mmCIF file of all heavy atoms in Angstrom:
data_model
loop_
_atom_site.group_PDB
_atom_site.id
_atom_site.type_symbol
_atom_site.label_atom_id
_atom_site.label_comp_id
_atom_site.label_asym_id
_atom_site.label_seq_id
_atom_site.Cartn_x
_atom_site.Cartn_y
_atom_site.Cartn_z
ATOM 1 N N VAL A 1 5.029 -13.847 -11.102
ATOM 2 C CA VAL A 1 4.457 -14.437 -12.291
ATOM 3 C C VAL A 1 2.935 -14.059 -12.212
ATOM 4 O O VAL A 1 2.241 -14.404 -11.237
ATOM 5 C CB VAL A 1 4.548 -15.935 -12.313
ATOM 6 C CG1 VAL A 1 3.861 -16.528 -13.540
ATOM 7 C CG2 VAL A 1 5.984 -16.405 -12.251
ATOM 8 N N GLY A 2 2.456 -13.360 -13.278
ATOM 9 C CA GLY A 2 1.024 -12.942 -13.321
ATOM 10 C C GLY A 2 0.284 -13.964 -14.089
ATOM 11 O O GLY A 2 0.726 -14.605 -15.062
ATOM 12 N N VAL A 3 -1.001 -14.285 -13.591
ATOM 13 C CA VAL A 3 -1.860 -15.248 -14.224
ATOM 14 C C VAL A 3 -3.231 -14.563 -14.495
ATOM 15 O O VAL A 3 -3.849 -14.070 -13.597
ATOM 16 C CB VAL A 3 -2.114 -16.467 -13.248
ATOM 17 C CG1 VAL A 3 -2.955 -17.515 -14.010
ATOM 18 C CG2 VAL A 3 -0.748 -17.105 -12.904
ATOM 19 N N SER A 4 -3.656 -14.641 -15.749
ATOM 20 C CA SER A 4 -5.008 -14.175 -16.102
ATOM 21 C C SER A 4 -5.815 -15.391 -16.595
ATOM 22 O O SER A 4 -5.475 -16.076 -17.456
ATOM 23 C CB SER A 4 -4.930 -13.139 -17.261
ATOM 24 O OG SER A 4 -6.217 -12.615 -17.569
ATOM 25 N N THR A 5 -6.860 -15.622 -15.838
ATOM 26 C CA THR A 5 -7.649 -16.784 -16.008
ATOM 27 C C THR A 5 -9.154 -16.519 -16.132
ATOM 28 O O THR A 5 -9.642 -15.553 -15.507
ATOM 29 C CB THR A 5 -7.401 -17.897 -14.911
ATOM 30 O OG1 THR A 5 -8.350 -18.861 -14.954
ATOM 31 C CG2 THR A 5 -7.474 -17.216 -13.585
ATOM 32 N N CYS A 6 -9.913 -17.299 -16.843
ATOM 33 C CA CYS A 6 -11.329 -17.218 -16.958
ATOM 34 C C CYS A 6 -12.073 -17.875 -15.843
ATOM 35 O O CYS A 6 -12.778 -18.822 -16.006
ATOM 36 C CB CYS A 6 -11.790 -17.847 -18.261
ATOM 37 S SG CYS A 6 -10.951 -17.296 -19.705
ATOM 38 N N ALA A 7 -11.910 -17.287 -14.646
ATOM 39 C CA ALA A 7 -12.511 -17.886 -13.450
ATOM 40 C C ALA A 7 -14.016 -17.668 -13.395
ATOM 41 O O ALA A 7 -14.699 -18.316 -12.667
ATOM 42 C CB ALA A 7 -11.826 -17.329 -12.157
ATOM 43 N N THR A 8 -14.429 -16.714 -14.162
ATOM 44 C CA THR A 8 -15.908 -16.479 -14.341
ATOM 45 C C THR A 8 -16.234 -16.264 -15.812
ATOM 46 O O THR A 8 -15.317 -16.197 -16.653
ATOM 47 C CB THR A 8 -16.387 -15.241 -13.574
ATOM 48 O OG1 THR A 8 -15.676 -14.113 -14.060
ATOM 49 C CG2 THR A 8 -16.192 -15.391 -12.014
ATOM 50 N N GLY A 9 -17.519 -16.156 -16.150
ATOM 51 C CA GLY A 9 -17.868 -15.966 -17.543
ATOM 52 C C GLY A 9 -18.145 -17.292 -18.264
ATOM 53 O O GLY A 9 -18.092 -18.342 -17.646
ATOM 54 N N PRO A 10 -18.355 -17.311 -19.607
ATOM 55 C CA PRO A 10 -18.648 -18.511 -20.335
ATOM 56 C C PRO A 10 -17.603 -19.650 -20.213
ATOM 57 O O PRO A 10 -17.941 -20.762 -20.408
ATOM 58 C CB PRO A 10 -18.824 -18.026 -21.788
ATOM 59 C CG PRO A 10 -19.118 -16.559 -21.651
ATOM 60 C CD PRO A 10 -18.395 -16.100 -20.414
ATOM 61 N N ALA A 11 -16.354 -19.241 -19.967
ATOM 62 C CA ALA A 11 -15.248 -20.239 -19.902
ATOM 63 C C ALA A 11 -14.805 -20.501 -18.506
ATOM 64 O O ALA A 11 -13.688 -21.042 -18.273
ATOM 65 C CB ALA A 11 -14.078 -19.797 -20.730
ATOM 66 N N ALA A 12 -15.703 -20.359 -17.554
ATOM 67 C CA ALA A 12 -15.328 -20.607 -16.128
ATOM 68 C C ALA A 12 -14.965 -21.991 -15.838
ATOM 69 O O ALA A 12 -14.124 -22.261 -14.977
ATOM 70 C CB ALA A 12 -16.501 -20.155 -15.237
ATOM 71 N N SER A 13 -15.601 -22.930 -16.630
ATOM 72 C CA SER A 13 -15.245 -24.306 -16.414
ATOM 73 C C SER A 13 -13.754 -24.646 -16.768
ATOM 74 O O SER A 13 -13.221 -25.679 -16.391
ATOM 75 C CB SER A 13 -16.179 -25.219 -17.172
ATOM 76 O OG SER A 13 -16.036 -24.998 -18.576
ATOM 77 N N LEU A 14 -13.129 -23.706 -17.534
ATOM 78 C CA LEU A 14 -11.722 -23.808 -17.859
ATOM 79 C C LEU A 14 -10.911 -23.059 -16.817
ATOM 80 O O LEU A 14 -9.853 -23.573 -16.427
ATOM 81 C CB LEU A 14 -11.459 -23.247 -19.306
ATOM 82 C CG LEU A 14 -11.965 -23.988 -20.554
ATOM 83 C CD1 LEU A 14 -13.398 -24.277 -20.552
ATOM 84 C CD2 LEU A 14 -11.443 -23.223 -21.727
ATOM 85 N N GLY A 15 -11.393 -21.925 -16.444
ATOM 86 C CA GLY A 15 -10.552 -21.036 -15.587
ATOM 87 C C GLY A 15 -10.524 -21.484 -14.122
ATOM 88 O O GLY A 15 -9.464 -21.279 -13.476
ATOM 89 N N ILE A 16 -11.569 -22.015 -13.595
ATOM 90 C CA ILE A 16 -11.563 -22.454 -12.205
ATOM 91 C C ILE A 16 -10.542 -23.528 -11.922
ATOM 92 O O ILE A 16 -9.741 -23.447 -10.955
ATOM 93 C CB ILE A 16 -12.968 -22.868 -11.722
ATOM 94 C CG1 ILE A 16 -13.957 -21.696 -11.693
ATOM 95 C CG2 ILE A 16 -12.879 -23.502 -10.338
ATOM 96 C CD1 ILE A 16 -15.379 -22.032 -11.481
ATOM 97 N N PRO A 17 -10.451 -24.609 -12.766
ATOM 98 C CA PRO A 17 -9.404 -25.599 -12.461
ATOM 99 C C PRO A 17 -8.019 -24.972 -12.669
ATOM 100 O O PRO A 17 -7.068 -25.399 -11.965
ATOM 101 C CB PRO A 17 -9.598 -26.610 -13.564
ATOM 102 C CG PRO A 17 -11.107 -26.468 -13.942
ATOM 103 C CD PRO A 17 -11.355 -25.014 -13.820
ATOM 104 N N THR A 18 -7.873 -24.011 -13.573
ATOM 105 C CA THR A 18 -6.584 -23.344 -13.765
ATOM 106 C C THR A 18 -6.190 -22.597 -12.416
ATOM 107 O O THR A 18 -5.040 -22.754 -11.915
ATOM 108 C CB THR A 18 -6.666 -22.333 -14.832
ATOM 109 O OG1 THR A 18 -6.910 -23.026 -16.112
ATOM 110 C CG2 THR A 18 -5.378 -21.473 -14.971
ATOM 111 N N LYS A 19 -7.119 -21.883 -11.838
ATOM 112 C CA LYS A 19 -6.876 -21.090 -10.585
ATOM 113 C C LYS A 19 -6.517 -22.123 -9.491
ATOM 114 O O LYS A 19 -5.617 -21.877 -8.754
ATOM 115 C CB LYS A 19 -8.109 -20.300 -10.254
ATOM 116 C CG LYS A 19 -7.890 -19.411 -9.028
ATOM 117 C CD LYS A 19 -9.182 -18.591 -8.782
ATOM 118 C CE LYS A 19 -8.985 -17.743 -7.635
ATOM 119 N NZ LYS A 19 -10.248 -16.855 -7.402
ATOM 120 N N ASN A 20 -7.188 -23.307 -9.499
ATOM 121 C CA ASN A 20 -6.922 -24.277 -8.464
ATOM 122 C C ASN A 20 -5.500 -24.853 -8.676
ATOM 123 O O ASN A 20 -4.764 -25.028 -7.634
ATOM 124 C CB ASN A 20 -7.909 -25.481 -8.567
ATOM 125 C CG ASN A 20 -9.295 -25.086 -8.099
ATOM 126 O OD1 ASN A 20 -9.536 -24.062 -7.482
ATOM 127 N ND2 ASN A 20 -10.282 -25.896 -8.476
ATOM 128 N N ALA A 21 -5.078 -25.072 -9.855
ATOM 129 C CA ALA A 21 -3.797 -25.600 -10.130
ATOM 130 C C ALA A 21 -2.666 -24.659 -9.761
ATOM 131 O O ALA A 21 -1.579 -25.030 -9.290
ATOM 132 C CB ALA A 21 -3.643 -26.052 -11.580
ATOM 133 N N VAL A 22 -2.889 -23.327 -10.064
ATOM 134 C CA VAL A 22 -1.884 -22.371 -9.771
ATOM 135 C C VAL A 22 -1.535 -22.403 -8.227
ATOM 136 O O VAL A 22 -0.398 -22.140 -7.843
ATOM 137 C CB VAL A 22 -2.329 -20.953 -10.217
ATOM 138 C CG1 VAL A 22 -1.403 -19.866 -9.687
ATOM 139 C CG2 VAL A 22 -2.417 -20.871 -11.735
ATOM 140 N N ALA A 23 -2.545 -22.647 -7.439
ATOM 141 C CA ALA A 23 -2.347 -22.695 -5.978
ATOM 142 C C ALA A 23 -1.426 -23.845 -5.599
ATOM 143 O O ALA A 23 -0.896 -23.807 -4.462
ATOM 144 C CB ALA A 23 -3.643 -22.850 -5.272
ATOM 145 N N LEU A 24 -1.251 -24.834 -6.485
ATOM 146 C CA LEU A 24 -0.404 -25.950 -6.197
ATOM 147 C C LEU A 24 1.011 -25.799 -6.765
ATOM 148 O O LEU A 24 1.845 -26.631 -6.514
ATOM 149 C CB LEU A 24 -1.015 -27.245 -6.797
ATOM 150 C CG LEU A 24 -2.424 -27.571 -6.281
ATOM 151 C CD1 LEU A 24 -2.986 -28.857 -6.954
ATOM 152 C CD2 LEU A 24 -2.460 -27.801 -4.760
ATOM 153 N N LEU A 25 1.227 -24.747 -7.557
ATOM 154 C CA LEU A 25 2.578 -24.516 -8.187
ATOM 155 C C LEU A 25 3.595 -24.192 -7.099
ATOM 156 O O LEU A 25 3.265 -23.675 -6.008
ATOM 157 C CB LEU A 25 2.416 -23.425 -9.244
ATOM 158 C CG LEU A 25 1.646 -23.816 -10.500
ATOM 159 C CD1 LEU A 25 1.473 -22.626 -11.336
ATOM 160 C CD2 LEU A 25 2.359 -25.023 -11.187
ATOM 161 N N PRO A 26 4.898 -24.413 -7.391
ATOM 162 C CA PRO A 26 5.873 -24.224 -6.339
ATOM 163 C C PRO A 26 6.027 -22.826 -5.813
ATOM 164 O O PRO A 26 5.893 -21.863 -6.541
ATOM 165 C CB PRO A 26 7.177 -24.758 -7.011
ATOM 166 C CG PRO A 26 6.906 -24.583 -8.489
ATOM 167 C CD PRO A 26 5.444 -24.897 -8.647
ATOM 168 N N ALA A 27 6.257 -22.710 -4.561
ATOM 169 C CA ALA A 27 6.517 -21.441 -3.858
ATOM 170 C C ALA A 27 7.922 -20.877 -4.116
ATOM 171 O O ALA A 27 8.121 -19.710 -3.928
ATOM 172 C CB ALA A 27 6.236 -21.531 -2.378
ATOM 173 N N THR A 28 8.832 -21.774 -4.565
ATOM 174 C CA THR A 28 10.118 -21.347 -4.886
ATOM 175 C C THR A 28 10.610 -22.068 -6.127
ATOM 176 O O THR A 28 10.207 -23.246 -6.430
ATOM 177 C CB THR A 28 11.135 -21.573 -3.771
ATOM 178 O OG1 THR A 28 11.223 -22.997 -3.521
ATOM 179 C CG2 THR A 28 10.790 -20.887 -2.535
ATOM 180 N N ILE A 29 11.458 -21.408 -6.891
ATOM 181 C CA ILE A 29 12.094 -22.076 -8.135
ATOM 182 C C ILE A 29 13.571 -21.709 -7.951
ATOM 183 O O ILE A 29 13.924 -20.474 -7.911
ATOM 184 C CB ILE A 29 11.519 -21.582 -9.423
ATOM 185 C CG1 ILE A 29 10.092 -22.010 -9.610
ATOM 186 C CG2 ILE A 29 12.332 -22.185 -10.611
ATOM 187 C CD1 ILE A 29 9.418 -21.542 -10.891
ATOM 188 N N ALA A 30 14.468 -22.717 -7.963
ATOM 189 C CA ALA A 30 15.851 -22.482 -7.879
ATOM 190 C C ALA A 30 16.281 -21.551 -6.639
ATOM 191 O O ALA A 30 17.160 -20.784 -6.700
ATOM 192 C CB ALA A 30 16.389 -21.903 -9.187
ATOM 193 N N GLY A 31 15.483 -21.813 -5.630
ATOM 194 C CA GLY A 31 15.792 -21.056 -4.368
ATOM 195 C C GLY A 31 15.226 -19.636 -4.352
ATOM 196 O O GLY A 31 15.478 -18.916 -3.339
ATOM 197 N N VAL A 32 14.484 -19.236 -5.388
ATOM 198 C CA VAL A 32 13.898 -17.876 -5.439
ATOM 199 C C VAL A 32 12.428 -17.996 -5.105
ATOM 200 O O VAL A 32 11.694 -18.847 -5.675
ATOM 201 C CB VAL A 32 14.113 -17.285 -6.796
ATOM 202 C CG1 VAL A 32 13.494 -15.923 -6.921
ATOM 203 C CG2 VAL A 32 15.573 -17.210 -7.150
ATOM 204 N N LYS A 33 11.966 -17.125 -4.246
ATOM 205 C CA LYS A 33 10.523 -17.087 -3.983
ATOM 206 C C LYS A 33 9.671 -16.658 -5.192
ATOM 207 O O LYS A 33 10.036 -15.761 -5.902
ATOM 208 C CB LYS A 33 10.297 -16.107 -2.789
ATOM 209 C CG LYS A 33 8.782 -16.039 -2.387
ATOM 210 C CD LYS A 33 8.579 -14.989 -1.274
ATOM 211 C CE LYS A 33 7.090 -14.828 -0.963
ATOM 212 N NZ LYS A 33 6.809 -13.752 0.019
ATOM 213 N N VAL A 34 8.596 -17.381 -5.413
ATOM 214 C CA VAL A 34 7.767 -17.036 -6.519
ATOM 215 C C VAL A 34 6.429 -16.568 -5.994
ATOM 216 O O VAL A 34 5.743 -17.141 -5.143
ATOM 217 C CB VAL A 34 7.422 -18.354 -7.330
ATOM 218 C CG1 VAL A 34 6.611 -17.946 -8.588
ATOM 219 C CG2 VAL A 34 8.681 -18.987 -7.777
ATOM 220 N N ASN A 35 6.028 -15.316 -6.488
ATOM 221 C CA ASN A 35 4.757 -14.799 -6.182
ATOM 222 C C ASN A 35 3.806 -14.949 -7.359
ATOM 223 O O ASN A 35 4.081 -14.445 -8.370
ATOM 224 C CB ASN A 35 4.857 -13.298 -5.882
ATOM 225 C CG ASN A 35 5.801 -13.016 -4.692
ATOM 226 O OD1 ASN A 35 5.693 -13.640 -3.645
ATOM 227 N ND2 ASN A 35 6.681 -12.140 -4.923
ATOM 228 N N TRP A 36 2.786 -15.857 -7.228
ATOM 229 C CA TRP A 36 1.836 -16.055 -8.253
ATOM 230 C C TRP A 36 0.678 -15.176 -8.062
ATOM 231 O O TRP A 36 -0.115 -15.138 -7.140
ATOM 232 C CB TRP A 36 1.344 -17.578 -8.218
ATOM 233 C CG TRP A 36 2.398 -18.564 -8.278
ATOM 234 C CD1 TRP A 36 3.041 -19.197 -7.278
ATOM 235 C CD2 TRP A 36 2.969 -19.128 -9.557
ATOM 236 N NE1 TRP A 36 3.967 -20.098 -7.832
ATOM 237 C CE2 TRP A 36 3.942 -20.026 -9.185
ATOM 238 C CE3 TRP A 36 2.746 -18.853 -10.934
ATOM 239 C CZ2 TRP A 36 4.734 -20.722 -10.173
ATOM 240 C CZ3 TRP A 36 3.495 -19.465 -11.854
ATOM 241 C CH2 TRP A 36 4.468 -20.443 -11.460
ATOM 242 N N ILE A 37 0.499 -14.192 -9.023
ATOM 243 C CA ILE A 37 -0.513 -13.187 -8.894
ATOM 244 C C ILE A 37 -1.610 -13.407 -9.893
ATOM 245 O O ILE A 37 -1.492 -13.383 -11.074
ATOM 246 C CB ILE A 37 0.143 -11.760 -9.189
ATOM 247 C CG1 ILE A 37 1.291 -11.563 -8.330
ATOM 248 C CG2 ILE A 37 -0.966 -10.672 -9.087
ATOM 249 C CD1 ILE A 37 2.193 -10.423 -8.806
ATOM 250 N N VAL A 38 -2.807 -13.891 -9.338
ATOM 251 C CA VAL A 38 -3.840 -14.367 -10.146
ATOM 252 C C VAL A 38 -4.960 -13.340 -10.282
ATOM 253 O O VAL A 38 -5.481 -12.868 -9.299
ATOM 254 C CB VAL A 38 -4.413 -15.680 -9.526
ATOM 255 C CG1 VAL A 38 -5.556 -16.218 -10.473
ATOM 256 C CG2 VAL A 38 -3.388 -16.715 -9.369
ATOM 257 N N LEU A 39 -5.397 -13.092 -11.540
ATOM 258 C CA LEU A 39 -6.511 -12.151 -11.809
ATOM 259 C C LEU A 39 -7.558 -12.806 -12.703
ATOM 260 O O LEU A 39 -7.173 -13.742 -13.472
ATOM 261 C CB LEU A 39 -5.993 -10.906 -12.519
ATOM 262 C CG LEU A 39 -4.915 -10.047 -11.824
ATOM 263 C CD1 LEU A 39 -4.497 -8.908 -12.719
ATOM 264 C CD2 LEU A 39 -5.495 -9.538 -10.516
ATOM 265 N N ASP A 40 -8.801 -12.476 -12.514
ATOM 266 C CA ASP A 40 -9.886 -13.016 -13.308
ATOM 267 C C ASP A 40 -10.155 -12.117 -14.546
ATOM 268 O O ASP A 40 -10.408 -10.954 -14.316
ATOM 269 C CB ASP A 40 -11.130 -13.189 -12.458
ATOM 270 C CG ASP A 40 -12.314 -13.755 -13.174
ATOM 271 O OD1 ASP A 40 -12.211 -14.284 -14.250
ATOM 272 O OD2 ASP A 40 -13.498 -13.526 -12.698
ATOM 273 N N ASP A 41 -10.172 -12.709 -15.733
ATOM 274 C CA ASP A 41 -10.556 -11.858 -16.929
ATOM 275 C C ASP A 41 -12.003 -12.199 -17.356
ATOM 276 O O ASP A 41 -12.450 -11.603 -18.405
ATOM 277 C CB ASP A 41 -9.611 -12.046 -17.985
ATOM 278 C CG ASP A 41 -9.448 -13.542 -18.478
ATOM 279 O OD1 ASP A 41 -10.511 -14.217 -18.615
ATOM 280 O OD2 ASP A 41 -8.328 -14.004 -18.765
ATOM 281 N N ALA A 42 -12.787 -12.981 -16.639
ATOM 282 C CA ALA A 42 -14.131 -13.251 -16.853
ATOM 283 C C ALA A 42 -14.452 -13.633 -18.359
ATOM 284 O O ALA A 42 -15.525 -13.396 -18.912
ATOM 285 C CB ALA A 42 -15.009 -11.988 -16.542
ATOM 286 N N THR A 43 -13.442 -14.243 -19.060
ATOM 287 C CA THR A 43 -13.610 -14.678 -20.471
ATOM 288 C C THR A 43 -13.809 -13.475 -21.384
ATOM 289 O O THR A 43 -14.393 -13.589 -22.450
ATOM 290 C CB THR A 43 -14.751 -15.690 -20.620
ATOM 291 O OG1 THR A 43 -14.893 -16.521 -19.500
ATOM 292 C CG2 THR A 43 -14.438 -16.594 -21.811
ATOM 293 N N ASP A 44 -13.279 -12.359 -21.010
ATOM 294 C CA ASP A 44 -13.523 -11.104 -21.739
ATOM 295 C C ASP A 44 -12.130 -10.612 -22.247
ATOM 296 O O ASP A 44 -11.293 -10.219 -21.430
ATOM 297 C CB ASP A 44 -14.124 -10.036 -20.776
ATOM 298 C CG ASP A 44 -14.343 -8.693 -21.456
ATOM 299 O OD1 ASP A 44 -13.837 -8.551 -22.651
ATOM 300 O OD2 ASP A 44 -15.076 -7.843 -20.877
ATOM 301 N N PRO A 45 -11.968 -10.576 -23.519
ATOM 302 C CA PRO A 45 -10.613 -10.133 -24.072
ATOM 303 C C PRO A 45 -10.219 -8.734 -23.583
ATOM 304 O O PRO A 45 -9.073 -8.542 -23.363
ATOM 305 C CB PRO A 45 -10.821 -10.144 -25.612
ATOM 306 C CG PRO A 45 -11.894 -11.210 -25.812
ATOM 307 C CD PRO A 45 -12.787 -11.111 -24.619
ATOM 308 N N THR A 46 -11.191 -7.840 -23.470
ATOM 309 C CA THR A 46 -10.879 -6.462 -23.005
ATOM 310 C C THR A 46 -10.378 -6.497 -21.598
ATOM 311 O O THR A 46 -9.378 -5.778 -21.230
ATOM 312 C CB THR A 46 -12.136 -5.606 -23.113
ATOM 313 O OG1 THR A 46 -12.601 -5.554 -24.494
ATOM 314 C CG2 THR A 46 -11.824 -4.152 -22.605
ATOM 315 N N LEU A 47 -10.960 -7.296 -20.778
ATOM 316 C CA LEU A 47 -10.471 -7.358 -19.341
ATOM 317 C C LEU A 47 -9.192 -8.140 -19.268
ATOM 318 O O LEU A 47 -8.315 -7.755 -18.452
ATOM 319 C CB LEU A 47 -11.528 -8.104 -18.503
ATOM 320 C CG LEU A 47 -11.260 -8.185 -17.003
ATOM 321 C CD1 LEU A 47 -11.042 -6.855 -16.431
ATOM 322 C CD2 LEU A 47 -12.492 -8.795 -16.282
#
């Protein structure tokens, strides 16, 4: 599962809690390992 979040930039106050919450999401679903891949888009649509 890929995650693009505004961890920096004008919307960082939205993205940082998101990144924190993703770290708490389950490591498995229905017995399947989940890889949470988090990237920062810096509140930039192009990124």
Side-chain angles (χ1 to χ4, degrees):
V1 181
V3 183
S4 185
T5 167
C6 306
T8 59
S13 60
L14 286 58
I16 292 172
T18 296
K19 186 176 180 180
N20 290 344
V22 170
L24 303 177
L25 291 173
T28 63
I29 296 178
V32 178
K33 180 183 177 183
V34 184
N35 300 312
W36 301 95
I37 305 164
V38 182
L39 301 178
D40 178 19
D41 59 44
T43 327
D44 181 349
T46 301
L47 186 52

